[in-house]
Amino acid sequence: MKYKTVPAMPSVNFSTIGFGCWALGKGSGWRDSSNRSSIAAVHKALDCGVTFFDTAPIYGFGVSESLLGVALKGRRNEITLASKCGLVWDESKAVRRDLSYSAVRADVEASLRRLQIDHLDILQLHWPDHATSLEETARALQELIKEGKIKAVGVSNFSLSDTRALAALIPLGSYQGLYNMLERNPDRYHDIPLEYRAEEEILPYCLEKGMAFLPYSPLLQGLLTGSFKADSQFGKDDIRSANPKLSGPAYATYFATCEELKKVATEAGISMTHLALAWLWRNLAVTSILCGVQRPEQIVDNAKAADVVLTDDVLNNIEQILRKHNL
């Protein structure tokens, strides 16, 4: 494993490969997830040198945080642990955005209970809430820092203008955004419009401000592993069935692009997964790549990507393919 630090959080040692915890545990919304394999995957990640774990209350409606808390018992001090706030749900599991003072504080208290810890290393605002002023949200964050319940603040899926505005109220250490080889400046995540352009706006901003950039969905929910087929389909119990890039008419373009990239990987003597992760890692702004993991062998393979260096010829071939497909 390799590691990186950033000026905005000099005390944090980010592992090249981070552990994205959305798929953690039975009930997470991902096919084939189980509690037993998820706990084993967390333990294997620790043994592989993974030091950054990212979760959220909304992942499995508390399932991810609760299971991670069990898996990390006795090893909490080995990692940097990030969670989120701002997505709340009711008894029917209807979700809404809420970054009000009371909601932020309630989210953090609930996360600490589920994770069985006394503080979060990073608290990220999961999605913008335009019904709440940034000043109100910042007030809650400032109090939580003062109380020692969070150490640093990050944002996720925020526009560049809102990120700048919040940074004027409270120091920001990280930005988490959708970014991978096939989604460089995406305008939507599933059916949710995005207010930012990752490669054009956010990566340069993070470099300028010394913030960590944490790309989520680095393998486009599994497509960039190269294991999908032209007729791949997901059941209703799998969150990926709701992604139009994987289940709608657009899938043909993404699949065809991935098939061409697989040839580049084969010629380079590496796997498609390693090609996709190494492509991300070569960007100076990328700090820790949030890979979703369901089984121990997945994190072992992902960790090996830290040693892959892509040549200029390989990078040029990738760029030509992406340009050909307007991606």
Side-chain angles (χ1 to χ4, degrees):
M1 187 61 64
K2 291 182 172 61
Y3 302 90
K4 181 182 283 190
T5 59
V6 294
M9 290 186 290
S11 63
V12 177
N13 208 24
F14 289 94
S15 50
T16 305
I17 303 299
F19 196 118
C21 296
W22 186 4
L24 209 64
K26 186 175 179 60
S28 64
W30 289 73
R31 184 183 64 196
D32 299 332
S33 285
S34 74
N35 291 358
R36 185 174 181 178
S37 64
S38 292
I39 290 175
V42 170
H43 293 164
K44 180 60 70 174
L46 293 167
D47 294 340
C48 288
V50 173
T51 59
F52 185 67
F53 286 73
D54 172 82
T55 185
I58 197 66
Y59 296 165
F61 299 101
V63 167
S64 173
E65 288 186 324
S66 296
L67 195 60
L68 185 61
V70 172
L72 289 175
K73 275 195 172 181
R75 303 188 72 173
R76 165 68 175 97
N77 62 350
E78 298 178 32
I79 68 161
T80 295
L81 180 53
S83 194
K84 305 180 184 74
C85 65
L87 292 182
V88 299
W89 63 91
D90 59 23
E91 293 181 357
S92 65
K93 294 185 177 178
V95 180
R96 61 183 175 84
R97 301 182 188 186
D98 191 346
L99 288 174
S100 64
Y101 172 87
S102 58
V104 169
R105 292 199 59 99
D107 264 358
V108 170
E109 296 291 353
S111 290
L112 295 179
R113 287 195 299 271
R114 286 190 287 261
L115 288 160
Q116 303 178 60
I117 58 176
D118 61 5
H119 74 276
L120 294 170
D121 297 305
I122 306 174
L123 176 66
Q124 303 162 99
L125 310 184
H126 207 156
W127 287 88
D129 167 22
H130 297 305
T132 301
S133 71
L134 293 174
E135 288 78 9
E136 179 179 344
T137 303
R139 180 164 60 90
L141 297 171
Q142 289 162 347
E143 288 186 6
L144 289 165
I145 290 174
K146 186 176 181 180
E147 294 166 10
K149 293 177 179 177
I150 63 175
K151 300 298 183 184
V153 174
V155 295
S156 178
N157 300 305
F158 269 49
S159 69
L160 181 57
S161 60
D162 280 348
T163 302
R164 290 185 186 277
L166 184 61
L169 300 171
I170 190 167
L172 296 181
S174 65
Y175 188 106
Q176 185 174 151
L178 176 60
Y179 188 55
N180 57 61
M181 274 204 296
L182 303 185
E183 296 176 296
R184 297 165 67 172
N185 292 292
D187 59 3
R188 302 184 76 82
Y189 176 66
H190 285 221
D191 61 348
I192 306 171
L194 297 176
E195 302 175 14
Y196 62 94
R197 297 296 175 264
E199 194 169 88
E200 292 176 359
E201 298 178 336
I202 304 303
L203 289 171
Y205 179 79
C206 287
L207 275 178
E208 175 193 348
K209 299 300 181 181
M211 292 168 55
F213 179 77
L214 311 169
Y216 70 79
S217 196
L219 299 173
L220 213 172
Q221 297 187 325
L223 176 62
L224 285 170
T225 64
S227 61
F228 288 15
K229 298 179 180 179
D231 59 352
S232 288
Q233 294 183 344
F234 301 100
K236 293 182 179 179
D237 61 339
D238 193 309
I239 192 68
R240 290 172 289 187
S241 64
N243 188 341
K245 294 173 184 175
L246 300 181
S247 60
Y251 177 63
T253 297
Y254 287 97
F255 178 78
T257 307
C258 188
E259 289 296 290
E260 292 187 38
L261 291 168
K262 279 171 67 174
K263 295 177 183 178
V264 175
T266 299
E267 291 173 359
I270 59 177
S271 69
M272 185 62 201
T273 297
H274 288 180
L275 183 80
L277 297 180
W279 181 88
L280 284 167
W281 178 241
R282 106 285 182 212
N283 191 304
L284 293 177
V286 172
T287 311
S288 190
I289 302 168
L290 301 177
C291 297
V293 178
Q294 295 171 298
R295 300 183 301 278
E297 59 268 24
Q298 291 174 321
I299 192 63
V300 172
D301 184 61
N302 290 344
K304 293 176 181 177
D307 293 323
V308 175
V309 178
L310 303 181
T311 66
D312 289 342
D313 285 344
V314 170
L315 290 171
N316 288 335
N317 289 337
I318 292 171
E319 187 63 31
Q320 289 176 16
I321 292 170
L322 298 180
R323 193 176 299 143
K324 170 185 171 183
H325 292 280
N326 295 315
L327 294 173

